[in-house]
């Protein structure tokens, strides 16, 4: 068990934005919320799943909605708690721990507020090892763990529960209700026993985000190249360096979709790179080659500071590096690629592991 | 208490279509479902609300969705039962009776199937005294009775419950989920005590529909003018007789909207009438005058048989009479007119009681 203090949230939030691959909402908001909760209620007990019993109930808590909406309609603890309590009531069982559904931006830090406010421990891990835009896109789905029963709540006091026949239906219902709730809402979702979680979760991924964030702070303190440090600590690859030339962005209220264009710098001068996103960056391609696609992680970071840039923050003039990080092996089976691979998102391209693409170049 | 047998459903279904004012789904489907249930499980005990105790729980059950969808995706008892049981579980209380939310088409007959299948009595009454297209459009809303907690279920096995801050939010959520469930779904909604129901309900409205249906059968048997008989038994007015010349109809998946044009016959020769509908007929107007608007009832009936014609069934060539029936007085307060009057539906016209319009002509 590790105690997470308010200051620890700095590295976790930055690291969460790295693994958030451009999506998952602004980690800054989640950090502020978590820090306020920790100052008020005390530090968060980050535990390994083996500290719990097999039958204990773990409940991931998360926000749903387009990141752009959450910049205006700030996340709050109240509806998170309402969702958690309402799910517990439905299940007739109390949660023994909360968890992050994804280690990406807002949703990697949101559960810290709840853990602090409830006194429940936070399990070190998540259900993706990254961030994804749709609810069925978890390793839980691949293990047959249902997203429902789940509970939704908004800041106005509306609350819903649902029990669906598939995680794809859950995504459909939650997406509609999220729109009706004003573009974002709070969820207590994927309730699972410790035994189930063990099969599906990415273990230690909160610590992993903290390590990535800390590497950036250390690089700054020791005057090292932060991009190189980040590549080292994430065991990733630098795919491109360039200047953001153009960002096309649409928010249909459900997702933030778009394309960011980069013009090469340094070794990449004269080249161009496109980053396609739907909340998260899903494909990085040049004119003649695809460099990295979902489910591998595409991370856009500031060339000077190494700090991650979300798809929402991407704007003309930023000098950035594009990193490719191998996803966890569980995302590389044919079933997983069908669930979250490039073709699901409408890209006519077969998935190829990023390390293989890098080797082939 | 009156026992309702399968044969009684004939008059009730026809009468339900009269008070359904063109909407509420095809009563034929509800009738078949009710008759099958009654043959299998026995007759329905239709009771007066005074046969129950003040604290007893009454649960209206109904279908939501566009009538056009229900012609293809037939209503079933299974999801109705699922919705009822799920709401009872949420409330921690068993229903002592079921009720019709509206005496219109499908939803006036749907509760008979549930009453028969569960053995619960059916309260003689409803929450509108007619049919309306949106969930908050009940006399319950005017009495501060909430539509939620409520439960939804579909024929695939998906189930939801919700607890909202207003009946308008309930309408919004249910409408989205109904779309996601394929255009129709089953609801257990507006749970209320007998004491609450007494304040809000229209008493005896099931018997009222049965009387209207029976009047048509009697007229046929005795070779009387069925339209005149219907006017007499409903205490309504004949506003127009004509031939359906054109029906413009759109279904956005939420509502069936449109306009039906009639060319005058007999005393109305040379005149034209427009019927505007959103599921239900909401306004009847000539070129120079509005004859009847919501919340008064506009009923389109076949000129020869007196049988009601729903907005879905209206088609070129039908010879029809347009009746105007005064709504119950509770719909005529300023608050009620704000909830269901012509301006709510976007018509730039002040409500005027139909009997007054008829007198002024």
């Amino acid at each position: 068990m590790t105690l997470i203090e308010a200051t620890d949230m700095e590295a976790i939030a930055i690291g969460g934005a790295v693994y958030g691959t451009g999506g998952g909402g602004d980690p800054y908001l989640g950090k502020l919320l978590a820090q306020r909760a920790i100052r008020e209620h005390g530090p968060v007990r980050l535990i390994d799943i083996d500290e719990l019993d097999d039958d204990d109930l773990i409940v991931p808590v998360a926000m749903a909605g387009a990141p752009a909406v959450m910049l205006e309609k700030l996340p709050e603890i109240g509806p998170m708690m309402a969702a958690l309590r309402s799910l517990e009531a439905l299940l007739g069982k109390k949660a023994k721990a909360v968890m992050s559904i994804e280690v990406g931006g807002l949703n990697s830090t949101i559960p810290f507020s709840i853990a602090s406010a409830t006194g429940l421990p936070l399990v070190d891990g998540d259900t993706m090892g990254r961030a994804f835009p749709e609810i069925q896109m978890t390793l839980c789905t691949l293990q047959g763990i249902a997203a429902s029963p789940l509970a939704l709540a908004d800041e106005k006091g509306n609350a819903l529960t649902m029990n669906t026949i598939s995680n794809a239906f859950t995504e459909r219902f939650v997406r509609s209700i999220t729109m009706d709730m004003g573009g974002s809402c709070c969820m207590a979702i994927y309730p699972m026993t410790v035994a189930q979680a063990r099969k599906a979760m990415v273990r230690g991924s909160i610590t992993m985000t903290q390590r990535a964030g800390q590497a950036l702070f250390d690089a700054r303190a020791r005057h090292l190249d932060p991009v190189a440090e980040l590549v080292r600590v994430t065991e990733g690859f630098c795919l491109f360096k360039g200047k953001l030339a153009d960002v096309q962005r649409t928010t249909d209220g459900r997702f933030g979709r778009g394309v960011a264009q980069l013009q090469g710098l340094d070794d990449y001068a004269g080249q161009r790179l496109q980053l396609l996103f739907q909340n998260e960056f899903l494909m990085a391609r040049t004119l003649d080659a695809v460099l990295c696609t979902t489910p591998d992680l595409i991370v856009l970071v500031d060339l000077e500071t190494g700090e991650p840039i979300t798809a929402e923050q991407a704007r003309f003039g930023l000098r950035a590096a594009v990193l490719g990080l191998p996803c966890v092996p569980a995302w590389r089976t044919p079933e997983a690629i069908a669930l979250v691979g490039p073709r699901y998102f409408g890209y006519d391209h077969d998935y190829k592991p990023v390390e293989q693409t890098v080797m082939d170049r």
Side-chain angles (χ1 to χ4, degrees), chain A residues 337-353:
Chain A
I337 297 301
L339 190 68
V340 298
R343 291 194 185 277
Y344 177 87
F345 292 98
Y347 307 129
D348 185 21
H349 181 79
D350 287 320
Y351 169 71
K352 195 170 156 188

Side-chain angles (χ1 to χ4, degrees), chain A residues 78-138:
Chain A
M80 282 288 164
M81 292 284 279
L84 175 61
R85 294 314 180 203
S86 149
L87 182 58
E88 286 179 331
L90 181 64
L91 295 168
K93 197 174 170 183
K94 288 273 179 189
K96 284 292 171 60
V98 292
M99 192 162 89
S100 299
I101 193 167
E102 56 189 349
V103 283
L106 201 51
N107 279 339
S108 59
T109 49
I110 281 285
F112 285 85
S113 336
I114 297 303
S116 174
T118 57
L120 289 171
L122 178 72
V123 176
D124 190 358
D126 75 309
T127 73
M128 303 179 203
R130 52 164 294 158
F132 273 127
E134 298 180 16
I135 280 171
Q136 75 282 10
M137 297 178 168
T138 63

